[in-house]
Amino acid sequence: MLNKRILQSLKSYIKAGELPLMLGLLPYFLDKEKVSMELFRSRLGYSLYKKIKKRYVKKDVKDYTQKVKCTLKNPIWFMWLQGIDSAPVLVQKNYSYLKKNFGEQLIEINSENLSKYIDLPDFILNKKQENKITNTHFSDLVRIQLLATYGGTWIDSTVLVEKNYFRELPDIVIPRTLKPGNDGNIIPISSWFLKFPANNPLIVRTRNLLFNYWEKNNRLIDYFLLHYYMIIASKELDDYIEDLPPIDNSLPHYLMLEMRKRPLDVDEIKNKMKYSGLIKLTNKTITTYENDNYSRLISILETWG
């Protein structure tokens, strides 16, 4: 049984003209081994990236810079469109932890106050209203405009960050897969935790490419479109990302993956939380163990930090 995200990816690849390649790679798709599916997706992703790169690299596009609407110092952006009171318990506990440790730096973004900070183009708002832009991708558009305009740190709602670790971070952060793990990986970066100063050239170029795409198109060509454009912008800027301080994007997933495998007691969870100052979690559980493990984790967050 294929999950919804895989089905959406397959449809996107077909609409992007990748059906002939998909048929050629069919044996990998049909193989039950997980590595075969990864090879299938990786090869299709690389083909799609080459198409996007050929079309957009060095392309002159409109500048979508907006005026600063308020004065903020080192903001920490945290978004739940329906409002934090409507968020899952994990998200609420994470928000409370950040609020306790960072106070007014933490800014909740929701559908009611978004316009207080940024003005998204009408074509984006209209396509969001028409469901041509999903909530997930809308968050990409919001984060890139917030960071381009104000700078600061974007934290996905299911990302935990240890307070002392956060305070020692460099001025620019993009979690990424480091060598040799990133060899052959066309998207070695993650966007669930980003830290940039305002008007950073990588973020501004990525924002302009992403907004230009939605001004011209009515559907998302790939789930990782933001990441493709960040890689393209980085290459235009002499491999900008390669010169940034190394922040690993693999270890933050360790606790989430362990909680899928077996029941963990409170002490085990606490010990595994020490492995990384960044911890990437999820609201979407897929195994029978996860709900109980997440309940224990949430109890830990009551007194964490």
Side-chain angles (χ1 to χ4, degrees):
M1 184 73 176
L2 299 178
N3 65 41
K4 184 177 179 180
R5 181 169 165 182
I6 292 177
L7 286 173
Q8 289 175 337
S9 296
L10 292 175
K11 290 178 182 178
S12 295
Y13 290 137
I14 292 172
K15 291 178 180 178
E18 298 292 345
L19 182 58
L21 179 59
M22 290 173 67
L23 294 174
L25 295 171
L26 192 59
Y28 291 97
F29 180 77
L30 297 176
D31 195 306
K32 294 182 179 180
E33 293 289 335
K34 185 177 180 181
V35 67
S36 296
M37 177 60 77
E38 291 300 321
L39 288 170
F40 176 82
R41 292 167 59 183
S42 178
R43 182 62 186 87
L44 285 170
Y46 178 63
S47 178
L48 188 56
Y49 166 74
K50 288 198 300 182
K51 288 182 178 180
I52 295 172
K53 181 180 177 183
K54 183 178 180 180
R55 182 172 181 181
Y56 289 101
V57 71
K58 300 291 186 182
K59 178 181 178 180
D60 290 330
V61 297
K62 179 180 175 182
D63 182 12
Y64 296 91
T65 297
Q66 68 157 75
K67 292 182 179 180
V68 173
K69 305 181 78 171
C70 53
T71 301
L72 301 169
K73 183 178 181 181
N74 301 321
I76 300 172
W77 305 105
F78 189 102
M79 187 170 86
W80 194 265
L81 278 177
Q82 299 83 0
I84 199 67
D85 291 339
S86 300
V89 175
L90 173 64
V91 174
Q92 292 184 2
K93 296 301 182 184
N94 189 22
Y95 179 83
S96 296
Y97 168 79
L98 292 169
K99 193 69 175 178
K100 179 177 68 175
N101 286 285
F102 300 103
E104 293 184 358
Q105 269 187 269
L106 182 66
I107 299 176
E108 176 198 349
I109 295 295
N110 55 57
S111 59
E112 297 298 321
N113 71 357
L114 180 59
S115 61
K116 175 181 176 181
Y117 301 100
I118 56 173
D119 295 316
L120 293 171
D122 287 341
F123 60 82
I124 287 178
L125 296 176
N126 291 337
K127 290 176 183 181
K128 172 67 171 64
Q129 186 68 28
E130 295 164 358
N131 294 319
K132 294 175 181 177
I133 296 176
T134 64
N135 281 346
T136 300
H137 189 64
F138 187 68
S139 76
D140 287 343
L141 299 168
V142 169
R143 82 187 65 189
I144 207 72
Q145 184 68 316
L146 286 169
L147 291 173
T149 306
Y150 299 98
T153 305
W154 173 277
I155 302 180
D156 269 12
S157 60
T158 54
V159 172
L160 307 182
V161 57
E162 198 276 326
K163 60 183 179 182
N164 294 319
Y165 174 87
F166 181 87
R167 290 174 178 134
E168 297 298 321
L169 286 171
D171 292 337
I172 298 177
V173 173
I174 304 181
R176 68 186 195 272
T177 306
L178 307 173
K179 281 185 173 295
N182 70 355
D183 291 339
N185 184 356
I186 200 59
I187 310 176
I189 59 172
S190 298
S191 62
W192 37 259
F193 186 95
L194 297 169
K195 182 182 180 185
F196 282 90
N199 301 308
N200 175 270
L202 178 75
I203 294 298
V204 168
R205 176 61 173 164
T206 301
R207 186 269 317 277
N208 290 343
L209 287 171
L210 195 59
F211 282 21
N212 174 78
Y213 176 89
W214 280 109
E215 189 165 11
K216 309 293 184 183
N217 296 276
N218 290 316
R219 61 177 179 83
L220 181 63
I221 193 173
D222 190 83
Y223 181 87
F224 293 106
L225 186 61
L226 168 67
H227 303 72
Y228 286 133
Y229 282 143
M230 290 188 79
I231 295 298
I232 289 171
S234 176
K235 293 192 177 298
E236 291 177 346
L237 296 166
D238 299 321
D239 288 322
Y240 185 96
I241 291 174
E242 294 300 315
D243 293 330
L244 297 177
I247 304 294
D248 177 58
N249 70 351
S250 300
L251 193 55
H253 291 82
Y254 174 66
L255 177 60
M256 177 178 69
L257 296 175
E258 287 295 295
M259 290 199 299
R260 284 179 179 169
K261 293 178 183 177
R262 62 181 177 85
L264 300 175
D265 63 35
V266 169
D267 287 337
E268 287 179 296
I269 294 174
K270 284 182 176 179
N271 286 332
K272 293 179 187 302
M273 289 176 73
K274 297 175 183 178
Y275 292 166
S276 176
L278 280 175
I279 302 173
K280 178 70 178 81
L281 301 168
T282 181
N283 286 314
K284 301 173 183 176
T285 57
I286 60 175
T287 70
T288 55
Y289 309 118
E290 285 182 282
N291 289 334
D292 288 341
N293 284 334
Y294 271 100
S295 293
R296 297 184 189 99
L297 173 63
I298 288 168
S299 71
I300 294 171
L301 293 180
E302 296 280 1
T303 57
W304 193 49

